[in-house]
Amino acid sequence: MTRTIPIRNPRTGANDYAITPLDRGQLEARCRKLRAGQAAWLALGIEGRAKAMLELCDAVDRHYDAILAALCADTGRYEWSVNEIEGLKGITRMRCATAEEALAEASGGSSDPTLRFQQQHVPYELVGIISPWNYPLILCMIDAITALLAGSAVAIKPSEVTPRFIQPFRAAIAEVEHLRDVLDVFEGDGETGGMIVDLTDTLVFTGSVRTGRKVQERAASQFKTVFLELGGSDPAVVLDSAEPDFAAEIIVRGSVENSGQLCCAIERVYVQRGVYDAVCERVVSRMQALRMNTDDIKEGELGPIIFARQAEILREQIADALAKGARVLTGGKVVEHGGGLWCEPTVLVDVTQDMAIMRDETFGPIVPIMAFDTEDEAVRLANDTEFGLSAAVIGEEAKAIAIGGRINAGGMWINDFDTMGGVGARAEKTAFGCSGLGGTRYGYGGFRRFLRKKAIVIRCCRSLSRM
Ligand code: NAD
């Protein structure tokens, strides 16, 4: 039976778009087609595959206006939609430049002179990608790029919250010879996501812990490896040695990027007592200078909360914090404009670790700030979480690095925020705790997780070689 899913516009609240997911039979047929194309794709070699990936960048440029318009409608924000398209091209070029080295096969001998081996890489035939709504284009492609370069075919299922970009993006893919046979993007919700788990050999899931658990269970019962890239409640620690305005700039940038709808957003701030008042004051004034893009999508720094349920979560977390004794220094409300929902840039103080805003993922432009006295206390507070995605430490460099070394998280930003983009070609990081599972998305490991390893071990046998 055909299912149609209405899609809400985050700026108007109106359902002005719809998707009709493929049924199981149709999806199976499309995945079979991808599998059929994979051998020829692999045979192209790394150079040939990289050439096709770079051609995709050109095709995206030819469809730039349509993809940008769709992303703007999907997310209600302009600047980060441009950044997503530019980011996709930048990551693709960076990955193409390092693919050869990352995918190099090894060969070698052993302590036994008659024994040697060849290390072969065998890519999974079909990799599945299930992605979320906060960066619809980048997050559906970030792992697809490395999987494709590694030699796999890829089936992508983006979020049903933001599916408008799929059609213009598929039009770009269709223009790239070779790639169109091994890369497909499917509209659909969780039901389609479940089928993608069933129909692929391995999978990267980016999304919530709750859904990640379901995906993991479903894949495990089929003996499949999945890589989970999940949520966080990232802390920032500000030391007495930090310059308050410098710290405030990092905190605000890290908290409000994409209106806070970022997995590695700074969501908890711990400030050493000596600079606490100065940092709070500067964070407040920087937050008050931010504008919401309610009237003009190209104006202002804060877009709407893309997913209506997320706006409810923000309301619930603020209410919970206030009920438990927190104070609002600025903002504090989710407001409606023309049917869309925007969260005011918000600063909370007098917060405690038992509040939902400090324990759960927030995903909004909200900065809760708590004072601490000793470094041990800062480390304890930062680690008081089930997550472990990333963290920031701001202050004198050597001390900040030492404290960062004690915080349980895969990405550690010293005196900045989310600088992985600058080093991600080689640097690797994995998620700690409930923030994820499996190998690194970054560095060479980002390619290698799509390869099965085959050791061809050769006994050099004299009697046979004389034959
Ligand atoms: P979500 O878990 O609700 O949905 C993610 C995807 O899973 C969607 O495509 C959805 O359709 C699909 N899905 C839902 N049920 C499914 C099922 N039973 N089987 C298979 N697929 C299913 O997440 P979301 O609300 O779209 O995204 C927000 C979350 O993503 C946040 O927690 C955020 O931190 C996380 N995230 C993590 C990263 C990262 O790199 N670690 C990046 C961005 C977002």
Side-chain angles (χ1 to χ4, degrees):
M1 205 182 72
T2 309
R3 285 191 309 133
T4 298
I5 304 172
I7 309 298
R8 175 183 173 275
N9 183 314
R11 294 185 70 79
T12 65
N15 291 337
D16 61 4
Y17 192 79
I19 55 172
T20 307
L22 300 180
D23 66 25
R24 177 119 194 164
Q26 292 167 323
L27 197 61
E28 278 174 1
R30 293 270 281 270
C31 286
R32 264 199 308 277
K33 200 161 158 276
L34 291 172
R35 285 184 187 279
Q38 188 262 342
W41 174 247
L42 183 62
L44 282 179
I46 297 170
E47 209 178 313
R49 296 196 294 275
K51 184 168 171 282
M53 295 305 292
L54 295 173
E55 283 168 14
L56 178 64
C57 296
D58 297 337
V60 164
D61 272 339
R62 288 193 293 277
H63 291 266
Y64 196 97
D65 291 346
I67 295 172
L68 179 59
L71 282 174
C72 287
D74 273 333
T75 60
R77 37 74 164 162
Y78 177 80
E79 195 189 335
W80 279 103
S81 300
V82 173
N83 291 350
E84 280 206 72
I85 301 176
E86 296 305 327
L88 171 66
K89 293 187 287 177
I91 294 170
T92 302
R93 290 188 188 113
M94 179 265 282
R95 288 310 205 172
C96 286
T98 53
E100 191 86 45
E101 201 175 323
L103 294 166
E105 292 177 341
S107 64
S110 77
S111 54
D112 177 344
T114 68
L115 209 55
R116 66 182 202 283
F117 71 89
Q118 292 168 9
Q119 188 75 68
Q120 270 191 7
H121 292 157
V122 185
Y124 289 99
E125 199 172 85
L126 182 57
V127 172
I129 307 277
I130 299 176
S131 55
W133 48 260
N134 55 329
Y135 293 93
L137 177 64
I138 281 282
L139 289 173
C140 85
M141 281 301 291
I142 187 166
D143 302 295
I145 296 166
T146 39
L148 286 160
L149 286 168
S152 300
V154 174
I156 304 178
K157 207 297 286 173
S159 170
E160 69 277 24
V161 177
T162 49
R164 295 171 183 82
F165 81 97
I166 295 174
Q167 288 201 15
F169 186 50
R170 291 187 79 235
I173 295 168
E175 288 180 2
V176 184
E177 198 192 353
H178 304 302
L179 191 59
R180 61 177 165 243
D181 299 330
V182 288
L183 174 62
D184 210 341
V185 190
F186 302 111
E187 297 171 341
D189 55 9
E191 195 176 317
T192 308
M195 291 192 261
I196 290 289
V197 178
D198 299 344
L199 297 173
T200 55
D201 303 325
T202 188
L203 183 94
V204 183
F205 171 84
T206 306
S208 64
V209 174
R210 197 166 145 265
T211 314
R213 191 167 273 128
K214 287 188 204 162
V215 167
Q216 166 75 14
E217 284 168 4
R218 187 163 182 154
S221 71
Q222 301 175 49
F223 246 75
K224 292 177 183 175
T225 302
V226 291
F227 303 101
L228 302 178
E229 308 282 355
L230 309 177
S233 173
D234 287 2
V237 172
V238 183
L239 304 174
D240 272 345
S241 50
E243 200 282 305
D245 199 51
F246 176 76
E249 188 277 327
I250 295 169
I251 291 164
V252 172
R253 181 157 44 90
S255 301
V256 307
E257 178 182 317
N258 198 23
S259 298
Q261 300 164 119
L262 169 70
C263 53
C264 63
I266 293 174
E267 299 199 350
R268 302 175 283 142
V269 179
Y270 303 103
V271 183
Q272 203 158 14
R273 194 83 57 189
V275 287
Y276 175 79
D277 289 337
V279 169
C280 286
E281 185 194 307
R282 283 163 179 81
V283 169
V284 167
S285 71
R286 282 181 176 274
M287 292 291 268
Q288 285 174 339
L290 298 173
R291 296 157 305 151
M292 296 188 280
N293 74 351
T294 44
D295 298 330
D296 182 344
I297 192 170
K298 291 189 179 171
E299 294 291 324
E301 296 77 24
L302 295 177
I305 301 304
I306 296 167
F307 183 36
R309 170 67 194 129
Q310 195 63 42
E312 275 313 302
I313 293 171
L314 300 183
R315 281 190 174 125
E316 287 161 16
Q317 290 196 1
I318 293 170
D320 171 76
L322 297 183
K324 290 177 176 152
R327 249 177 338 116
V328 174
L329 292 189
T330 190
K333 288 195 290 298
V334 173
V335 292
E336 191 179 327
H337 282 273
L341 298 163
W342 275 258
C343 182
E344 293 175 344
T346 296
V347 180
L348 297 173
V349 290
D350 297 344
V351 290
T352 49
Q353 287 294 112
D354 64 333
M355 295 174 181
I357 208 131
M358 302 299 274
R359 305 213 71 78
D360 300 340
E361 183 169 50
T362 298
F363 237 52
I366 302 175
V367 186
I369 312 181
M370 186 189 289
F372 71 88
D373 292 301
T374 67
E375 288 158 21
D376 284 350
E377 193 185 351
V379 171
R380 183 181 55 73
L381 290 165
N383 284 338
D384 183 17
T385 177
E386 63 172 349
F387 299 107
L389 195 57
S390 43
V393 187
I394 304 164
E396 187 268 312
E397 188 177 295
K399 193 165 273 185
I401 293 172
I403 290 174
R406 297 167 64 198
I407 296 176
N408 299 327
M412 199 58 57
W413 328 126
I414 305 296
N415 289 322
D416 206 334
F417 160 72
D418 192 10
T419 29
M420 203 62 197
V423 296
R426 281 171 198 277
E428 302 188 338
K429 74 180 182 84
T430 47
F432 291 20
C434 282
S435 286
L437 205 65
T440 172
R441 158 182 280 171
Y442 295 93
Y444 289 180
F447 292 88
R448 291 177 183 165
R449 63 181 178 171
F450 300 115
L451 301 170
R452 289 161 296 172
K453 315 289 189 298
K454 186 184 279 189
I456 301 183
V457 187
I458 306 137
R459 173 71 73 190
C460 179
C461 185
R462 276 216 204 99
S463 59
L464 283 179
S465 61
R466 278 204 298 270
M467 283 170 68

